[in-house]
Amino acid sequence: MSQTDRVAMTPETQDTPDTPDSMRAAVLFGPGDIRVVDKPVPVPGPDEVLVRVAMCGTCGTDLKIFDGHFPQTPPFGAFTPGHEWTGTVAALGRQVDEFKVGDRVCIEAHSGCGRCDNCLVGRYTACLNYGNPAKGHRATGMTVDGGFAQYAVHHVSALYPLPSQLTFEDAVLITTAGTGLYGLDVAGGYVAGQDVVVFGPGPVGLTTVQALKALGAGQVICVGTRTSRLDLARRFGADHVINARETDPVESILSLTGGEGADLVVECSGSVGIPALFPQVTKRGGKILVVAFYPGPVTLDLGAIVRKDISLFTSRGEGGNNVKRAVALAAQGKLRGAEMVTHRFALDDIAEAFRVVRERDGDPVKVVVVP
Ligand SMILES: [Zn+2]
Ligand SMILES: [Zn+2]
């Protein structure tokens, strides 16, 4: 989107009233103990932006943070989680001229230090100064305060203008979509005409299905265990869906691919039993991309992977400026986010929101919190 579009989009918001000093924010006081309290509104540093949060998505990573199992989070009693937020620019650090007050923005969670080997090549989700804010690294809602609050700050490099045709619900999922796109980028990117299996029709898997179709993939085959999510996968363009509770996924994938297996297998499920299937469902000379995190070690016959000359890739989060690509696909209508938002909670009800996520009560896909 051009600068002119952005200016034209929000002309009325130039005179935003002054930001208050205090805000409501969720704070983690201990494992499983989240409360909404008054907190000072953060002040943006020279290259940071203050955003009035419109909504913040919840995800599996939040459950780990919530339970106290995530490394490098700030101390209990002060830390505000939330890494999938979107909103409206409220104030700018003095070096920031890329945005103006009133712009609607979406984010990516990670902003690297910008000075280590990995940041220099765009791999800022693997920043060598990860968790060190003094060196400029910030992973919002993970290593610094995030978006389960009325206001949040972020580095200007991690913000993207939200095209006018997109809603904040779309924006929450754009952050998520960057994960699948970065993975495809790492795995070589060129998927046109290829048969691709996506394990796990959660938000990452569902955005990846859409991205694959937009990038010209051949058959996209989505494997899951819940009918409602598989129905969404089909709605988002999956050519085939396989419910692994009803059908043997290995047999189905082989029969759909002429007995050869998929050119590319994308693992978004994080289910410990899935890697054992990789050698059987991947074509000789094909690729495997793992973007999911697992709760513990998994079993994989690596020898079989080598014998079939399969390349194995992993990636973490949404690096490589891929959120910008996600914004572009969403703006073209090729990445539909809002349809995945199934539940909405007020900030005061954040504990209940997390209960719903954890217990999968009411079959949620994306649960958002509105401050
Ligand atoms: Zn997340
Ligand atoms: Zn770095």
Side-chain angles (χ1 to χ4, degrees), residues 187 194-195 260-265 278-279 281-288 304-313:
Q194 297 198 322
D195 291 338
E260 292 184 336
D263 297 291
L264 170 65
V265 170
F278 289 166
V281 299
T282 312
K283 190 176 178 174
R284 207 172 273 274
K287 294 177 180 178
I288 298 163
I305 298 286
V306 176
R307 283 192 299 275
K308 286 184 84 173
D309 202 5
I310 291 167
S311 303
L312 179 58
F313 301 86

Side-chain angles (χ1 to χ4, degrees), residues 58-62 83-84 176 366:
T58 61
C59 92
T61 303
D62 287 316
H83 59 271
E84 298 180 2
T176 306
K366 183 59 77 179

Side-chain angles (χ1 to χ4, degrees), residues 40-82:
V41 170
V43 176
D47 47 10
E48 292 176 342
V49 175
L50 178 73
V51 175
R52 180 160 48 81
V53 177
M55 63 182 61
C56 183
T58 61
C59 92
T61 303
D62 287 316
L63 292 179
K64 291 179 197 117
I65 293 171
F66 197 62
D67 292 341
H69 298 319
F70 201 79
Q72 295 170 303
T73 49
F76 291 132
F79 171 53
T80 296

